[in-house]
Amino acid sequence: VAVHPGECYCYRFQIPDHHPDGLFWYHPHLHGSSAVQLWSGMMGLVYVQGNLEHELQDKYNIRNSQEFVLWDPAFQAVQNKNDDDHDIEVDEFLLGQTTLSKIHPFLVNGQITPTFETRAGEILHLRALCGTIENENTFIVYKQGQHERSWDEASIPFWIVASDGVTYERPLKRNVIVMAGGQREEILL
């Protein structure tokens, strides 16, 4: 299915009863422009609800679930194109990307410095997606004011309850994880 600029298309999915619940994502696979579309932000989360949500509420009293979508946007000006032919070729777009990555920040939920609110004693459930194209990213939570120190001394432990749509039997305790493009983690903090 091709959805062209200015067009709208409504996707409808029939999820079979035996499909596992969990965190998934959508992204393009149009040959020749997948990277350009992902760098432009064409991706997002898909939830298949099931037992995990109920277990998090029952076992851990989780009432605060928030999205954590990491993205490495790259924007490139289209030059020397007239109004009738404004498409940009992939090679043209990728030219100089290593230099561009130094001036384009990583964003979380579309923000450079997002804020996640929670109450004292409340467990925060982060639904994390690494929506990057070619960059791995390290997920570390530092004690306030300690981000300049070594992560193994200043990090706060967190627990992973599911990865890439697969729920673990019991949470995995971590102080750091490295996430590659497309990786999804359900994190308790």
Side-chain angles (χ1 to χ4, degrees):
V1 173
V3 182
H4 300 283
E7 293 181 354
C8 181
Y9 184 84
C10 183
Y11 291 90
R12 294 188 190 276
F13 301 95
Q14 294 293 327
I15 307 294
D17 291 338
H18 64 276
H19 192 285
D21 60 329
L23 182 62
F24 301 92
W25 74 308
Y26 65 88
H27 55 282
H29 278 276
L30 183 62
H31 294 283
S33 63
S34 292
V36 173
Q37 290 179 343
L38 278 164
W39 269 313
S40 300
M42 190 179 284
M43 51 88 179
L45 295 172
V46 174
Y47 306 111
V48 176
Q49 294 184 339
N51 292 332
L52 178 61
E53 297 300 314
H54 301 294
E55 288 177 18
L56 291 177
Q57 290 176 3
D58 295 344
K59 286 184 181 179
Y60 307 106
N61 197 30
I62 301 296
R63 301 288 185 255
N64 186 356
S65 294
Q66 298 185 36
E67 295 178 353
F68 186 99
V69 178
L70 186 63
W71 174 42
D72 58 345
F75 303 102
Q76 186 83 304
V78 178
Q79 298 177 7
N80 301 323
K81 301 284 183 181
N82 64 41
D83 290 339
D84 296 331
D85 182 25
H86 63 274
D87 294 336
I88 185 169
E89 297 295 324
V90 174
D91 291 343
E92 182 182 357
F93 183 85
L94 295 176
L95 185 65
Q97 284 298 313
T98 53
T99 328
L100 285 174
S101 66
K102 294 180 178 138
I103 59 172
H104 292 295
F106 287 93
L107 303 178
V108 174
N109 299 344
Q111 300 175 35
I112 293 174
T113 310
T115 301
F116 295 91
E117 297 195 14
T118 188
R119 294 185 209 111
E122 183 178 56
I123 298 173
L124 176 61
H125 170 212
L126 293 177
R127 293 174 161 156
L129 162 64
C130 182
T132 62
I133 307 309
E134 60 184 3
N135 295 297
E136 293 178 335
N137 292 273
T138 306
F139 182 93
I140 303 172
V141 180
Y142 286 98
K143 297 173 188 166
Q144 188 170 357
Q146 301 289 313
H147 64 278
E148 297 294 330
R149 295 184 57 210
S150 172
W151 69 266
D152 56 345
E153 296 174 6
S155 62
I156 296 172
F158 53 88
W159 288 260
I160 301 173
V161 294
S163 296
D164 292 329
V166 178
T167 303
Y168 296 113
E169 270 187 47
R170 57 186 155 273
L172 306 175
K173 185 177 180 181
R174 298 286 186 262
N175 281 60
V176 61
I177 53 174
V178 176
M179 296 179 70
Q183 187 172 339
R184 286 119 32 230
E185 303 288 348
E186 304 249 11
I187 300 169
L188 301 182
L189 177 64

